[in-house]
Amino acid sequence: MSDQDDQQLIALVKEGDKKAFDRLVIKYQQRIIQLVSRYISDASEAQDVAQEAFIKTYKALPNFRGDSAFYTWLYRIAVNTAKNHLVSRARKSSDHTVDVNDAENFEGAFQLKEGDTPEHLLLSEEIRNTIQQAINDLPDELRNAISYRELDGMSYEEIAQKMKCPVGTVRSRIFRAREAVDKILKPLL
């Protein structure tokens, strides 16, 4: 497929054809995973970050003007997503380095104390129930793919074997499942 083919697929995606985006994912997924792997050494984590880059790309696609090749644009999104992931991971690891004896003096101590308020627990339960209902409402192939990945912790390759389909199809199904759950969850967040 050429850049012209990419432009035709992008036009179809902008018209609402999700399968056209699936074809773009299949075309570029290995290159993006390899790119992200330069920043993130854990293969499973790199796949998740690549998946996140494709989600961001899909959401931003209406703004793609075509001033550059699609892959160039996707490349920048993937690099930025990988860098943001590393920054986020560094923040998370530094947030949890508090000595137990200093917990009361820790500036985030109120979060430690207030985390289990009735309101917080109710909202958490509502979010959990909404996610579960959204997953239950998905078509079988999407529900199975997202469940294997998120609940069972299976790799994309393991899911592909279990579902007897290519890894690209698994990625596409997980992408579509996450997108559907996000759409339903958005009002609660």
Side-chain angles (χ1 to χ4, degrees):
M1 279 199 316
S2 66
D3 287 342
Q4 187 175 6
D5 293 329
D6 287 354
Q7 295 301 328
Q8 291 171 343
L9 289 173
I10 290 165
L12 290 171
V13 173
K14 287 181 176 183
E15 293 171 8
D17 184 350
K18 292 182 181 182
K19 296 213 181 283
F21 189 74
D22 293 347
R23 290 175 55 199
L24 288 168
V25 170
I26 291 167
K27 177 180 178 182
Y28 291 114
Q29 68 187 354
Q30 289 307 318
R31 289 170 69 184
I32 295 300
I33 290 170
Q34 289 172 345
L35 170 66
V36 169
S37 294
R38 293 183 206 160
Y39 296 89
I40 299 163
S41 58
D42 179 78
S44 179
E45 196 173 347
Q47 289 178 345
D48 285 344
V49 171
Q51 178 82 11
E52 183 179 345
F54 279 111
I55 291 170
K56 287 180 178 182
T57 301
Y58 181 78
K59 289 179 179 177
L61 204 55
N63 301 322
F64 178 66
R65 296 184 310 267
D67 296 337
S68 64
F70 173 74
Y71 179 73
T72 304
W73 187 66
L74 174 61
Y75 179 98
R76 282 289 2 127
I77 292 172
V79 167
N80 289 336
T81 303
K83 288 179 178 178
N84 290 342
H85 177 78
L86 291 173
V87 169
S88 174
R89 187 171 69 182
R91 282 188 189 140
K92 286 179 185 175
S93 66
S94 68
D95 284 350
H96 300 295
T97 57
V98 177
D99 188 324
V100 173
N101 297 325
D102 293 334
E104 288 294 325
N105 300 325
F106 174 57
E107 64 184 67
F110 73 92
Q111 291 174 332
L112 297 173
K113 294 177 186 174
E114 300 297 323
D116 289 336
T117 64
E119 294 84 10
H120 182 265
L121 292 173
L122 184 62
L123 182 59
S124 295
E125 185 176 336
E126 185 176 355
I127 290 171
R128 215 175 5 260
N129 290 341
T130 302
I131 291 171
Q132 188 59 54
Q133 186 59 50
I135 290 172
N136 289 344
D137 291 344
L138 292 171
D140 287 345
E141 75 248 3
L142 301 183
R143 182 177 58 250
N144 291 338
I146 193 81
S147 296
Y148 292 146
R149 180 71 182 158
E150 302 298 339
L151 303 177
D152 300 337
M154 294 172 71
S155 71
Y156 291 98
E157 291 77 15
E158 291 170 326
I159 297 169
Q161 285 180 336
K162 186 161 183 94
M163 296 184 79
K164 296 178 177 59
C165 64
V167 173
T169 302
V170 169
R171 288 185 199 290
S172 174
R173 288 175 181 174
I174 291 172
F175 169 81
R176 293 195 335 252
R178 285 178 176 161
E179 183 182 53
V181 171
D182 284 349
K183 187 176 181 180
I184 291 170
L185 196 56
K186 195 173 236 173
L188 290 176
L189 304 175

